[in-house]
Amino acid sequence: MASLREIKGRINSTKKTSQITKAMQMVSTSKMSRAEMNAKSFVPYMEKIQEVVGSIAHGTTDAVHPMLIHRPVKKSAYLVITGDRGLVGAYNSNIIRRVNQLLQERHKSKDEYGLITIGRVGRDFYKKQGHNILLEITGLNDHPNFNEVQSITSKTVDMFSDGTYDELYIIYTHYISVIQHDVIVKKVLPLTDIAPAAKPFIYEFEPNVEEILEVLLPQYAESLIFGALLESKASEHASSMMAMKNATDNAMELINTLTISYNRARQAQITQEITEIVAGASALE
Amino acid sequence: MKTVSVSIVTPDGPVYESDVEMVSTKAASGELGILPGHVPMVAPLAIGAVRLKKDGHTDLVAVSGGFLEVRPDKVTILAQAAENANEIDIDRAIRAKQRAEERLRKQKQSEIDYRRAELALRRALNRINVAQNAR
């Protein structure tokens, strides 16, 4: 059995670790609730833009725009959203596993696709593996607003327009609840699967359909990316919170076990001391 | 007086929601006024102010890009950024204006940078205008 001092030391260090994980858990909890709120306040915008795009794309037959046209795919792009740091449970590895699986299924060589990575973890991983990275963003704010993200989203959309790639998939973590988030693969460009609006309106276009699509579609594609980003952030913080909660719980359990063996060792020492005293006393008689 | 409900929505959340008598704004193709019962219409917006007339006074909202969707009973403005006049951070707008002007003065730069600086300047000027007009 380990000595008393050793056990005491382990209890202390575990206690300190648990204090840190506890603090990180609380930080993540507050960040998560804000991220969740951000994702929620984005919903009305997304719903509205979807509705308008749906009723325009399905209401008019003469609507033609490069973003709506499916062109032969020479190169695909994948936008991978990961976090900037570890200590978030399986959040990052789930995404990366899904992406690897996808790439293996669909592509034979690394020349057929490019990656756009958001987050340090994804970037480091794919750089190491020698993948072709088209664009990388790290150090994104925990609560991104649309303005900050716009340079990323518009660059991504521009690369589709100028033919750097012919289709864009986005792989992100869909936030369902604090304990449930799913990795989702969504095709963003070209915008071929736009859901028709529930009750399409016949609109007048000012000045004409083409010019409206010119404004509307990039904005729509950017919104899709932004929405995915918000959900990913919420999932990341939720994952981090859960991971830290588990760590704290484990630490508490460990402390309990250690305390029991500490008490046992102490009792054993006392018993031994008594035995020795009694033995000493009886030797004197 | 007949009214039409207006909502101005941005990716960061709704900014303005109310029933108004008239909406007037600057679309990409020119000034646009909308009264209740307007035919359904979609138009892209320029960087500018949206004026919302209501009970004898006018609310001003600064809008940067986006578009306008009109239905007979509802007007929706989907903008990338929008601020109520009294929520505009004027100091920030003035700083943004100075930054943009400085960038525009610099020679030798790519066309994209130039255009970006120009847009930034327009947004800043719009915010300053709206904030001052509201006072």
Side-chain angles (χ1 to χ4, degrees):
Chain A
M1 193 179 264
S3 80
L4 271 182
R5 230 162 55 93
E6 248 168 65
I7 300 177
K8 188 99 193 165
R10 279 194 67 192
I11 292 178
N12 272 337
S13 76
T14 316
K15 248 183 202 154
K16 278 180 188 143
T17 313
S18 80
Q19 275 166 359
I20 294 170
T21 54
K22 179 96 192 169
M24 286 172 80
Q25 180 197 338
M26 287 191 304
V27 170
S28 293
T29 310
S30 81
K31 278 186 181 167
M32 183 203 68
S33 59
R34 236 193 96 187
E36 203 182 348
M37 234 166 59
N38 287 348
K40 272 207 186 104
S41 64
F42 177 67
V43 168
Y45 179 84
M46 195 63 224
E47 272 174 359
K48 198 69 210 172
I49 199 165
Q50 218 145 22
E51 198 183 305
V52 176
V53 169
S55 51
I56 293 176
H58 290 268
T60 53
T61 45
D62 54 340
V64 194
H65 188 273
M67 277 189 185
L68 293 170
I69 297 166
H70 184 83
R71 45 187 203 229
V73 177
K74 285 194 230 81
K75 195 164 181 178
S76 316
Y78 297 90
L79 184 109
V80 183
I81 304 180
T82 60
D84 272 333
R85 61 183 186 92
L87 298 179
V88 287
Y91 171 77
N92 289 317
S93 48
N94 279 344
I95 289 269
I96 287 175
R97 192 184 314 126
R98 185 83 184 83
V99 173
N100 285 349
Q101 191 189 343
L102 209 66
L103 295 179
Q104 239 160 31
E105 271 169 24
R106 289 194 186 160
H107 302 288
K108 287 190 194 73
S109 85
K110 284 183 180 172
D111 304 327
E112 291 179 358
Y113 59 83
L115 296 171
I116 300 167
T117 60
I118 297 183
R120 187 164 291 124
V121 176
R123 182 201 63 182
D124 291 351
F125 180 80
Y126 290 109
K127 239 185 194 161
K128 224 174 178 176
Q129 305 262 311
H131 288 275
N132 180 14
I133 294 179
L134 297 171
L135 188 69
E136 51 167 78
I137 301 107
T138 56
L140 204 65
N141 198 331
D142 271 328
H143 306 295
N145 62 36
F146 193 66
N147 227 339
E148 290 167 346
V149 179
Q150 212 176 3
S151 66
I152 304 160
T153 53
S154 59
K155 258 187 229 156
T156 308
V157 174
D158 283 351
M159 276 196 280
F160 174 79
S161 312
D162 65 21
T164 312
Y165 58 80
D166 304 297
E167 56 176 2
L168 172 71
Y169 291 89
I170 179 165
I171 297 103
Y172 71 100
T173 313
H174 175 53
Y175 180 85
I176 299 166
S177 72
V178 177
I179 46 165
Q180 198 183 8
H181 358 95
D182 292 344
V183 174
I184 290 208
V185 181
K186 190 149 106 185
K187 187 174 184 177
V188 177
L189 291 168
L191 296 160
T192 41
D193 47 354
I194 296 170
K199 45 172 191 173
F201 268 80
I202 308 299
Y203 289 111
E204 256 185 33
F205 298 105
E206 175 70 37
N208 54 43
V209 184
E210 283 77 24
E211 264 180 60
I212 286 169
L213 289 180
E214 200 66 44
V215 177
L216 187 58
L217 292 181
Q219 201 177 339
Y220 178 58
E222 285 174 18
S223 315
L224 285 176
I225 299 174
F226 183 64
L229 201 59
L230 286 181
E231 286 207 41
S232 291
K233 279 288 175 197
S235 310
E236 184 187 342
H237 294 312
S239 276
S240 162
M241 188 189 90
M242 289 309 289
M244 287 305 117
K245 187 176 179 309
N246 287 339
T248 314
D249 290 351
N250 286 344
M252 289 303 165
E253 218 179 286
L254 193 62
I255 289 172
N256 276 343
T257 338
L258 284 174
T259 313
I260 288 172
S261 45
Y262 175 80
N263 289 342
R264 283 220 182 102
R266 193 185 47 147
Q267 192 57 56
Q269 203 183 20
I270 293 167
T271 316
Q272 202 185 350
E273 267 171 25
I274 291 173
T275 329
E276 275 163 14
I277 292 165
V278 172
S282 63
L284 282 179
E285 274 166 18
Chain B
M1 189 92 185
K2 265 175 86 174
T3 58
V4 56
S5 81
V6 176
S7 54
I8 300 179
V9 202
T10 71
D12 301 321
V15 172
Y16 186 93
E17 221 141 335
S18 180
D19 290 329
V20 304
E21 287 149 18
M22 179 175 162
V23 184
S24 53
T25 181
K26 203 169 150 203
S29 52
E31 281 286 333
L32 204 64
I34 291 146
L35 292 166
H38 198 286
V39 287
M41 181 184 78
V42 178
L45 290 182
I47 295 170
V50 178
R51 292 179 295 283
L52 304 128
K53 224 165 115 187
K54 183 185 170 188
D55 310 326
H57 68 95
T58 308
D59 290 336
L60 279 169
V61 179
V63 172
S64 313
F67 63 95
L68 167 96
E69 187 220 12
V70 182
R71 293 180 180 188
D73 57 342
K74 183 143 181 64
V75 176
T76 313
I77 292 171
L78 290 171
Q80 272 147 14
E83 286 117 17
N84 279 312
N86 49 14
E87 281 163 14
I88 291 173
D89 185 345
I90 236 188
D91 295 332
R92 194 174 149 228
I94 288 170
R95 279 202 304 277
K97 175 177 166 257
Q98 285 162 349
R99 254 200 324 271
E101 280 170 344
E102 214 158 277
R103 265 190 223 136
L104 286 175
R105 263 200 300 277
K106 261 193 241 154
Q107 300 293 317
K108 252 176 60 181
Q109 53 182 347
S110 68
E111 199 181 329
I112 297 169
D113 283 344
Y114 191 84
R115 265 186 57 78
R116 205 173 275 163
E118 200 182 323
L119 281 176
L121 180 62
R122 294 234 304 268
R123 280 197 297 269
L125 283 176
N126 178 39
R127 287 203 176 103
I128 294 169
N129 272 342
V130 168
Q132 281 167 352
N133 280 345
R135 271 179 205 158

